[in-house]
Amino acid sequence: KTALGYLRKYGMTCSGLKDNRLIHAQTLTSQAEIDALVSETVNDYKDYFDVIKEWWIRDEPSASDFPALALVIDALHRIVPERVTMINLFPTYASDAQLGTNGYQEHLDKYIETVKPDYISYDHYHFQKNTTRKGFFENIEIIRDTAIKNELDPMLIILLTEHMSYADLTKYQIEWEVNMCLTYGMKRISYFTYWLGAELLAEGWSNACMDTTGKIYPHYYDVQEINNRLLPLGNELFDKNSTAVFHTRTKGGGSLEKGCEAYKSYGDLGEIATDASVVIGFFDDGSFMITNRMYTDTENSRNTVEFLDIASGLEYFDTSSSSWKDAEADGIVTRNENGVLCRTFEPGEG
C-alpha cells in the first residue's frame, strides 16, 4: 500500500499487484472458499482502485495448475470485473515435464480453454553469456498466431538483467528485443527485472535498473532512453492489429527459424533490397515497421534498406511529436546515387 501511494503521487499505475492471498487461493478447491478469500483481498485494496489495473496471479504454471487458476480467475472476473489478471507462461524451451503437456502448442491451447485469460504473457530470454539461444522467433510466431486466433493481446517479458547464464545486454540488444516485440504486434512488454535485492546480488545478479538500496545501474538509463520512444510509439500501435510479419534472408542464404516467412513484395512497402536481414511487421491501417535483425555494435550491423517501389510520399511516425511526418523532408530517408529512397538502420533499430 505504501508503494501504491507513491504510484498515485507520481501518476503511475500498478500492472500486476501481487498479494499472497491470491496465491494461497490457488491451493483451495471450494469455489466458495476461493470467492471469500478473493473478496477479502480485493476489499483490502478498494481505496487504491485508481492505481491498480491488474492482479498478478502466477508465473510459469504447469498445465496441472490450470484448473486451480481458472477458479481464481473466475472469482476475480466476477468480484472485480473492471480489473484484469496477469499470468506469465513458459517459453518454448521449457520441457514437456514443465509444461505438463505434449508440446508447446497444446500447452497454450489448454491454457486458453481452461483458464480463459485476459491476455497471453510469456518470457523468452534470448541472449546468453557465450551464445544466443535459438527459438526466439519460433516462440514469438507461435504466440502471435495463437493470440490472433483467440482474439487475445500478446505480451512478452524480455531479458534485461544479467543473471545465471544470461548476458549483460548492450543497449542495442535491449532495443532489439523491444522493437521485435512491436514489429510482431505485441501489445505489452515487461523488462526482467527492475530491481535487485540483497539475495540476488549475492548470487551475482547485476545491471538491472537499480537495487533495493536505490543504487542506479547503467541499464536504468538504457531503458529510460528506449521508453522515451516506446511510450508514444506504443500508444500509436496499440489499437492497430498485426496482419503479417516477414523476414528478409541474409546475403548468402541461411534458413529462417520455424514458422517464419521469407519476405516477398507486400502491401504498401513493395519490393525492397537490404544489406542484411530485417524483420518487417504490417498492420491493418497499411503501416509497417522494419527492425534490423543485427544487434552488435559493429559497422557490419548497420543495415541499409532500399525502398525500390516507393518513389515518394513515405511518412514516418515521429515519437518526439507523436505525429506522422514526411520522411524524406526530415532526413529519415535519403536518396542513393540511383535516386532510390533508402534508410540505414542502427543495430537493433526499428
Side-chain angles (χ1 to χ4, degrees):
K1 291 180 180 178
T2 301
L4 293 171
Y6 280 116
L7 293 178
R8 176 185 286 151
K9 177 180 178 180
Y10 291 103
M12 300 175 71
T13 57
C14 175
S15 62
L17 188 142
K18 181 179 179 181
D19 187 289
N20 285 336
R21 287 170 290 187
L22 296 181
I23 299 171
H24 178 61
Q26 297 165 40
T27 68
L28 305 175
T29 56
S30 162
Q31 187 71 66
E33 288 181 297
I34 293 171
D35 286 2
L37 190 54
V38 168
S39 294
E40 174 193 312
T41 308
V42 168
N43 188 60
D44 201 15
Y45 292 102
K46 64 181 184 299
D47 294 336
Y48 297 92
F49 277 4
D50 58 319
V51 177
I52 300 168
K53 300 301 180 186
E54 304 182 26
W55 309 99
W56 186 93
I57 306 300
R58 186 70 177 268
D59 185 46
E60 297 183 336
S62 169
S64 62
D65 301 314
F66 291 168
L69 293 174
L71 296 177
V72 176
I73 298 300
D74 178 66
L76 283 163
H77 283 166
R78 285 184 285 103
I79 293 165
V80 57
E82 66 274 19
R83 301 289 178 274
V84 297
T85 55
M86 179 182 181
I87 298 171
N88 183 60
L89 300 179
F90 280 113
T92 46
Y93 49 86
S95 66
D96 283 357
Q98 290 173 298
L99 297 172
T101 54
N102 294 317
Y104 194 69
Q105 188 64 60
E106 181 182 320
H107 182 78
L108 293 180
D109 293 341
K110 185 171 289 189
Y111 170 68
I112 293 168
E113 178 184 1
T114 305
V115 178
K116 298 177 175 56
D118 292 299
Y119 56 92
I120 306 174
S121 171
Y122 77 109
D123 52 52
H124 190 114
Y125 301 154
H126 178 67
F127 295 105
Q128 297 182 290
K129 288 181 178 177
N130 299 313
T131 185
T132 53
R133 188 195 299 275
K134 294 181 179 179
F136 177 89
F137 291 108
E138 179 184 357
N139 204 158
I140 201 170
E141 288 274 353
I142 294 170
I143 293 292
R144 175 186 172 274
D145 291 347
T146 303
I148 291 173
K149 177 183 176 182
N150 292 278
E151 298 182 338
L152 293 169
D153 287 347
M155 170 178 176
L156 175 54
I157 298 177
I158 65 172
L159 175 64
L160 177 71
T161 301
E162 180 183 14
H163 68 289
M164 299 190 294
S165 65
Y166 297 110
D168 184 12
L169 272 68
T170 68
K171 184 187 74 172
Y172 292 119
Q173 290 172 325
I174 302 168
E175 189 168 16
W176 182 94
E177 293 180 304
V178 170
N179 285 329
M180 287 303 175
C181 288
L182 297 176
T183 305
Y184 265 89
M186 297 290 112
K187 299 295 187 181
R188 306 160 184 254
I189 69 160
S190 180
Y191 301 96
F192 183 81
T193 184
Y194 182 78
W195 65 5
L196 300 175
E199 70 285 356
L200 296 181
L201 291 170
E203 293 176 13
W205 292 42
S206 180
N207 211 0
C209 285
M210 62 171 59
D211 62 30
T212 51
T213 71
K215 176 184 175 182
I216 294 176
Y217 292 87
H219 277 171
Y220 178 97
Y221 299 104
D222 294 332
V223 171
Q224 182 185 62
E225 181 181 333
I226 291 168
N227 282 355
N228 279 333
R229 299 188 297 274
L230 176 60
L231 180 59
L233 184 55
N235 287 338
E236 174 65 20
L237 287 172
F238 195 83
D239 292 328
K240 303 181 194 297
N241 293 310
S242 173
T243 56
V245 182
F246 300 98
H247 293 237
T248 63
R249 293 185 183 275
T250 57
K251 290 183 177 178
S255 60
L256 301 177
E257 282 191 15
K258 184 178 179 180
C260 297
E261 186 174 352
Y263 182 68
K264 296 178 181 178
S265 179
Y266 186 90
D268 291 329
L269 177 57
E271 293 287 347
I272 62 171
T274 64
D275 291 335
S277 183
V278 297
V279 181
I280 312 166
F282 290 85
F283 301 92
D284 57 5
D285 65 342
S287 64
F288 50 85
M289 181 166 176
I290 302 173
T291 293
N292 188 359
R293 257 193 82 161
M294 314 298 285
Y295 48 71
T296 55
D297 187 12
T298 64
E299 200 56 42
N300 289 338
S301 290
R302 285 163 177 81
N303 188 0
T304 299
V305 175
E306 297 180 346
F307 301 91
L308 303 178
D309 280 349
I310 301 178
S312 61
L314 186 64
E315 294 185 338
Y316 76 104
F317 185 74
D318 175 37
T319 56
S320 62
S321 64
S322 296
S323 62
W324 290 87
K325 293 184 176 181
D326 187 314
E328 188 174 7
D330 283 5
I332 298 299
V333 294
T334 57
R335 293 189 183 272
N336 63 18
E337 64 275 10
N338 297 316
V340 175
L341 289 174
C342 58
R343 161 79 181 182
T344 298
F345 288 80
E346 292 295 305
E349 184 182 22

